[in-house]
Amino acid sequence: MLIKTMIKEISLLTGISLICAFTINFISPRGIPFVGNWKILSEKKRNINLPSGIEINDIDVARSIYDEKKYIFVDARHPEAFKEGHIKKAINLPISFFDDSIAGFLENYPLDTPLIVYCSSKDCHESSMLSQNLLDLGYLNVKIFVEGYRGWTMKGYEIEK
């Protein structure tokens, strides 16, 4: 009898918890979609409307662009993550401190500077948000290195700390 009561109570608490969790996820602006392409849906929720062809999906292509030294690599991650390691010679312009950092960035990098923005990995949206902000400011040549820092290090390419 006691075990049946405990099972009923656990089931009831689990059911209530699931209902609360799904309700909060549904009404939250940062909720996780249940079906579909999560990346596309989350970018739409953030009002990111990036032009086509902006993404660099191949790590070796990003490396060859890096070797040409025509683009500035811009790290969109938090300064602490940047200090732990970043693509060699990259500039840190964290999306979380964009308003505080952009004036200095504009002084050093005019609007016609070719930029490649990256963050941690393809699951990170900081590079998309930063790219959108830079395009909105009038930067003319902005690309996103989709695989980001994780992809770069997995290939064994040089970093600095």
Side-chain angles (χ1 to χ4, degrees):
M1 212 41 135
L2 182 61
I3 292 177
K4 278 187 171 182
T5 305
M6 281 180 32
I7 290 173
K8 285 181 183 178
E9 289 175 357
I10 289 171
S11 298
L12 180 64
L13 287 173
T14 301
I16 291 171
S17 298
L18 285 172
I19 290 170
C20 289
F22 284 120
T23 302
I24 290 170
N25 184 64
F26 180 76
I27 62 174
S28 171
R30 297 187 68 189
I32 301 169
F34 295 110
V35 294
N37 185 335
W38 292 0
K39 183 177 179 183
I40 291 170
L41 292 172
S42 62
E43 286 178 357
K44 286 181 181 176
K45 283 185 178 180
R46 288 184 173 89
N47 295 320
I48 296 175
N49 188 19
L50 298 170
S52 63
I54 195 171
E55 293 182 341
I56 300 169
N57 292 299
D58 187 314
I59 298 168
D60 295 325
V61 169
R63 176 56 195 238
S64 68
I65 293 170
Y66 174 85
D67 289 340
E68 291 172 5
K69 298 178 181 164
K70 294 180 182 176
Y71 279 78
I72 302 296
F73 277 65
V74 181
D75 191 320
R77 299 175 303 150
H78 193 275
E80 292 302 317
F82 183 80
K83 286 178 190 171
E84 289 176 14
H86 55 272
I87 294 174
K88 192 173 183 179
K89 298 183 182 178
I91 305 301
N92 189 216
L93 182 59
I95 189 64
S96 54
F97 299 108
F98 182 79
D99 293 336
D100 298 331
S101 307
I102 192 58
F105 187 84
L106 282 163
E107 287 176 16
N108 294 308
Y109 305 100
L111 297 177
D112 61 348
T113 305
L115 305 172
I116 294 186
V117 180
Y118 72 92
C119 57
S120 324
S121 68
K122 62 183 171 184
D123 297 324
C124 169
H125 297 288
E126 292 168 337
S127 57
S128 297
M129 292 184 292
L130 180 57
S131 296
Q132 183 67 61
N133 287 359
L134 292 169
L135 289 166
D136 289 347
L137 281 174
Y139 276 89
L140 305 171
N141 191 354
V142 179
K143 304 250 185 236
I144 299 171
F145 172 40
V146 176
E147 295 293 328
Y149 182 70
R150 185 177 302 145
W152 190 265
T153 57
M154 286 177 62
K155 283 290 248 185
Y157 296 147
E158 64 265 5
I159 61 165
E160 58 187 7
K161 295 181 181 191

